[in-house]
Amino acid sequence: MIPFPAVDEVSRHCLSADEPESVHLEVHLPGRLDPARLRDAFGQALLAHPRVLVREVPGRGHRRSYAWELTGEPDGDPVDFAGRGPGALARARARALADCPPLTVSPPMRLDVVEAVGGTAVPEPPAEAGRAGGGTGTVLLLTAHHTALDAPSALRVLATTAERYSGTPARPIPGRIRPDRPDPAPGGSGGTGRALRTRPVRVAPDARPAPVRARAAGNGMLQADLPVPRRAAPAGSVPPWTVNDQLLAAAALTVGRWNASRGRPPGPVRITMPVDDRPRGTEMPMGNGTRLVEVAMTAEDPRDTDLLLGERPDPAAVARLLRTTARRTRDLKATRGSPWGAGAGLLTVPLLPVGIRGVLTRGARRAAAPWTSTVLVTNLGRVPYGLDFGDGGRATAVWFSAPARMPRGLSVAAASTGGRLHVTLRWSRALLGDAAGADLAGLFREALSAVSLAPPPHSAPAAPALSPDLAPARPDGPQTDPDATAGAVDGAVDGEADARAPAARDRARSPGGPHPRDTPRPDTAPGAAHPTRDHRERPS
């Protein structure tokens, strides 16, 4: 038996049926897979990572600790062939957000396999160059219980599945590259003391009546296929910030502009950022191996607030925010500590029965709700695995999402595949409805375009480049170059210098205003046909 680590125990105490603690991971393949071979390959992958084959040891509330029991083999068949057709993928996604695999069954994950028919299930256009056509394709949708496993662990299992299915040996996985830069960080807290002593702003709820929002259950989700943002740098120098820093800045700008459009005063935005220091090869420890840090997204000059939240964020102010963010994140990544801090460690000391510790943990969570960070941003970075399924092809896209429980209520997840950035926004329906989530996603696209135009130090502002809506997807699969900077949950996608740069919008819009041209809207008719853009991005 393995006692629950602190992260697992806190998650176990705070489980809620209204907001399942699920991690959803999608791998899109251009070809079809043989069901029997896939089931056998996934079973071999589980045996190759025995720490995944666990279930919670049953017990009563007076026991001193929760524990995992290693089973050695699955309790049942975790592979489900979800069928085919226009609504199969939407149903699988909805199940991933609403139905967590139980902790009492080994493994606490399941694999849904969705086949495309006529190009209706896989959201990539079937006729893109370099991809299998004819309307064939497969989506592997892996759902894991976040109390037991995180997204990097789930991705490692799928990578091993691909190796077993194709019969190719595992390739060496390069370690993370975090170049040292001379400028020191402002402090181990990831922000200024003034920002950390002030309550962070919350994402403003949508216009639904409060009683309606309070009764809403579950999560909504929207996915976007975007170019990896450009990172300009003076000739012969290292870019001053990473793609992960750009994602953090874009999330902060999105929240600020969203709240401003709803009459909320500006305030400090704090972002929770997972950092993963584990190796990503076959020896990678399974479970919840990330540590959570908080980044204060405050401008060093208070006068920059108005420049950042205008109709078009000022490029120089954005560059200053990015430089500040880069210093803070470098410091936080270099600092070692417990995954959830000293408070979680105290709450999980096995001096009291788990029933009493659960009451104390939930009470502490409610008391700390006003100080909870504004948004969770988690970035797997460049996918370091080939994900080559032989006759099924190499992965053309990898999406994943993290839980979005209240009081935070919003998470942004990103992964880079083939020079494209696959971003998922997931929100609690107690905070936002699907229409509001789509509007928020439109603001995030604009914010990511703005941060990609930020000029490097001692340079002129960059000229607009190709619109992200017009930038073609690159046909190649996941990057596996051993010399590339492969990402982890801390997400430095430093090697994507050749990706096309997004640009500012063709016309100014007020924050939170309508996005008639490129904002995806929720499905109103299940099973109805959608154009290519709606297949790329739509709420689930």
Side-chain angles (χ1 to χ4, degrees), residues 18-43:
D18 291 340
E19 294 178 307
E21 193 81 352
S22 64
V23 173
H24 131 273
L25 179 69
E26 289 185 29
V27 172
H28 292 240
L29 303 172
R32 304 280 287 277
L33 299 177
D34 178 79
R37 283 176 60 196
L38 178 62
R39 182 174 275 115
D40 181 65
F42 189 69

Side-chain angles (χ1 to χ4, degrees), residues 34 120 276 357 447:
D34 178 79
T120 56
D276 190 3
R357 295 209 305 272

Side-chain angles (χ1 to χ4, degrees), residues 33-36 38-39 77 79-83 111-115:
L33 299 177
D34 178 79
L38 178 62
R39 182 174 275 115
D77 183 7
V79 182
D80 181 17
F81 288 85
L111 180 64
D112 291 321
V113 185
V114 181
E115 294 183 356

Side-chain angles (χ1 to χ4, degrees), residues 212-230:
V212 174
R213 291 198 306 271
R215 291 192 297 270
N219 291 170
M221 181 177 72
L222 191 144
Q223 296 167 321
D225 181 359
L226 305 171
V228 174
R230 183 190 58 191

Side-chain angles (χ1 to χ4, degrees), residues 104-159:
T104 55
V105 176
S106 172
M109 63 163 56
R110 66 170 177 270
L111 180 64
D112 291 321
V113 185
V114 181
E115 294 183 356
V117 176
T120 56
V122 183
E124 286 81 27
E128 271 192 288
R131 292 180 180 172
T136 63
T138 305
V139 177
L140 302 179
L141 201 156
L142 186 67
T143 307
H145 202 304
H146 202 0
T147 300
L149 298 165
D150 55 15
S153 297
L155 185 60
R156 177 63 257 182
V157 171
L158 284 183

